[in-house]
Amino acid sequence: MRVAFLLKGYPRLSETFIAQEIAALERRGLDVLIVSLRQPTDPRRHPVHGEIRAAVLYLPEYLILQPLRVLKCWWKARRLATYRQTRSLWLKDLLRDPTPNRVRRFGQALVLAAELPADVERLHAHFLHTPASVARYTAGLLGLPWTGSAHAKDIWTTPEWEKREKLASCEWLVTCTRTNREHLAALAPPGRVELVYHGIDITRFKAGNAQARARDGRNAADPVVILSVGRLVEKKGTDVLLQALARISPDLHWRFVHVGGGPLKGRLARLASRLGISSRVEWRGALTQDRLLAEYRSADVFALASRIAADGDRDGLPNVLAEAQSQALACVATRVSAIPELVRDGQTGLLVDADDSDDLARALETLIASPARRRALGQAGQSRVVESFALDANIDALARKFGLAASGAHRLLRTA
């Protein structure tokens, strides 16, 4: 079949997991059309983007910027027998969520319904918030089934009434953590929600040379390198990580490298300066996957201080943790959301409580001073990723959902 994948934007450096999923499904024979709600904002691409064959249909990001296109599509869509029913559904949603965003999503659905190629048999939305809204309205207009993948922010910042109605409307939905599944399954008809981990493409993240990880923090000329990767937003807890770094014993020498952009960059840089550690902090910004891999391989410790943001937003299971572990990099993370599903405290990494900079500092000190402990945790984490979170071993269940033959003996689908 041909399936339209609805994405917030394409391509995006921060959504490698979606690109690698599409590439893997294409290799299994799925015919994909990518529908993007936004234009790309970064000209750079990951290597995996070059492997994807799917055509891309860009919807009008703002309706007012393409009024003739929107008007033409509305005129076509209003003739559909299902138009009045779908418009009533949207108006009901608009009464509960009277925002420009809600208007925009219905307008995008009208455009998609008018312009969707006739050979598309199903819609699949990545993210339960805006892409799923466009998918639901479009599916209603065209009488097509729609399915979805839910991840993190889209789950925890979407109102419960909306989650319930979308889960009742879709044919099936997969989500990437057990924590997510338990939450969504309680709102959905029985059997509607299933667990499918993203998985890491081991062929792209082959194990590197770990010889450089013998540093123990005693040599000021060769400090231990601490790496963190993530957008500079509240839920990543980078401010807590900076505070923890400032609390590390002055007898230990370290350097902190951060990869990722975001709206809090200026504020966090100023915090590092106030804490007196700015000379040891390097802000790399967003990187392509090949350059990020080099950062993993040159680091000694990976740290991620995820927390639950004030609006409820939180990580699911951050792919960067699995990527770091695939390189046998010892990880320190927080007990938030699904992170303990991947990182087993004291076995494959160290876990601390969210927003606890003192505990995080102690964990970092432990790993800075002990190359042997880092090596043991890193190797154990790498083994767990390869055994349970490898992409090829974990894509088969999703492939079967789309009617494709599985390529391996491993199963990804878990319901508990």
Side-chain angles (χ1 to χ4, degrees):
M1 71 173 70
R2 193 177 193 200
V3 179
F5 273 59
L6 277 70
L7 313 181
K8 291 189 298 182
Y10 181 85
R12 278 187 162 186
L13 290 181
S14 61
E15 294 178 359
T16 318
F17 62 97
I18 296 177
Q20 73 177 11
E21 176 186 293
I22 292 174
L25 291 171
E26 282 191 333
R27 288 194 294 270
R28 284 163 169 77
L30 189 65
D31 188 2
V32 175
L33 170 69
I34 294 173
V35 178
S36 178
L37 276 58
R38 299 176 183 172
Q39 295 284 332
T41 57
D42 194 324
R44 294 174 296 172
R45 295 187 173 209
H46 293 302
V48 67
H49 289 128
E51 300 171 14
I52 293 174
R53 302 185 303 273
V56 184
L57 170 62
Y58 287 101
L59 299 180
E61 185 170 348
Y62 297 100
L63 307 181
I64 195 171
L65 298 181
Q66 298 186 53
L68 293 180
R69 182 184 179 191
V70 174
L71 182 61
K72 179 181 176 180
C73 291
W74 167 75
W75 189 258
K76 181 178 179 180
R78 67 188 291 272
R79 302 176 188 174
L80 296 169
T82 54
Y83 173 76
R84 290 182 179 274
Q85 180 181 354
T86 306
R87 185 186 63 180
S88 295
L89 169 66
W90 167 67
L91 288 172
K92 180 182 177 183
D93 291 346
L94 184 63
L95 285 173
R96 293 174 289 186
D97 176 35
T99 62
N101 179 68
R102 184 67 61 176
V103 176
R104 186 183 312 135
R105 301 317 165 196
F106 186 63
Q108 290 179 318
L110 293 173
V111 173
L112 182 55
E115 297 183 354
L116 190 71
D119 59 349
V120 171
E121 301 177 45
R122 175 185 298 276
L123 307 173
H124 184 79
H126 260 289
F127 296 103
L128 192 55
H129 48 13
T130 51
S133 293
V134 177
R136 184 187 180 198
Y137 299 144
T138 306
L141 288 166
L142 296 178
L144 292 176
W146 75 277
T147 55
S149 296
H151 303 289
K153 179 179 181 179
D154 55 316
I155 297 172
W156 303 106
T157 61
T158 298
E160 183 173 311
W161 65 264
E162 188 170 0
K163 285 184 282 193
R164 285 186 182 276
E165 293 182 11
K166 285 178 175 175
L167 289 167
S169 168
C170 70
E171 190 173 271
W172 51 261
L173 182 132
V174 295
T175 189
C176 53
T177 75
R178 184 174 294 110
T179 301
N180 290 350
R181 184 201 169 272
E182 291 174 354
H183 172 75
L184 293 173
L187 304 175
R192 185 65 49 90
V193 182
E194 298 171 353
L195 170 60
V196 176
Y197 287 119
H198 291 150
I200 294 298
D201 190 344
I202 301 301
T203 63
R204 299 183 195 280
F205 287 89
K206 295 178 180 177
N209 186 352
Q211 291 180 356
R213 296 176 188 162
R215 307 179 182 106
D216 62 4
R218 291 183 293 183
N219 185 354
D222 189 24
V224 168
V225 178
I226 301 168
L227 174 68
S228 189
V229 180
R231 293 194 70 239
L232 294 171
V233 294
E234 182 187 0
K235 71 176 179 180
K236 297 298 183 180
T238 309
D239 56 329
V240 179
L241 180 52
L242 292 173
Q243 291 163 7
L245 291 170
R247 287 170 167 76
I248 292 174
S249 168
D251 296 329
L252 295 174
H253 302 284
W254 53 268
R255 178 167 60 88
F256 176 60
V257 175
H258 183 276
V259 174
L264 299 184
K265 167 67 184 302
R267 186 186 307 178
L268 291 167
R270 291 190 293 273
L271 174 61
S273 180
R274 289 197 302 272
L275 293 170
I277 61 173
S278 58
S279 64
R280 292 192 276 180
V281 175
E282 299 177 31
W283 306 99
R284 292 275 198 268
L287 298 179
T288 55
Q289 199 172 61
D290 51 346
R291 292 185 60 192
L292 175 57
L293 180 57
E295 296 291 347
Y296 286 131
R297 290 177 173 174
S298 63
D300 300 291
V301 177
F302 186 85
L304 194 66
S306 301
R307 56 144 75 99
I308 298 176
D311 64 355
D313 187 14
R314 67 199 74 178
D315 280 326
L317 202 167
N319 292 292
V320 293
L321 277 171
E323 291 172 359
Q325 289 191 320
S326 77
Q327 300 305 297
L329 190 54
C331 294
V332 181
T334 51
R335 298 181 182 90
V336 168
S337 192
I339 290 175
E341 294 179 35
L342 172 66
V343 180
R344 293 172 173 170
D345 188 28
Q347 300 177 40
T348 65
L350 299 181
L351 293 177
V352 301
D353 290 335
D355 292 308
D356 190 336
S357 57
D358 289 330
D359 199 11
L360 181 55
R362 286 189 289 269
L364 290 170
E365 285 184 343
T366 296
L367 294 185
I368 290 171
S370 178
R373 185 79 187 281
R374 295 201 305 265
R375 190 175 303 111
L377 291 174
Q379 291 175 349
Q382 184 182 58
S383 296
R384 176 156 169 73
V385 165
V386 171
E387 292 169 4
S388 302
F389 292 89
L391 177 66
D392 283 342
N394 285 308
I395 199 73
D396 287 350
L398 186 58
R400 286 193 292 269
K401 301 292 284 183
F402 287 111
L404 305 173
S407 66
H410 297 279
R411 294 187 65 197
L412 172 64
L413 181 60
R414 301 178 179 93
T415 56

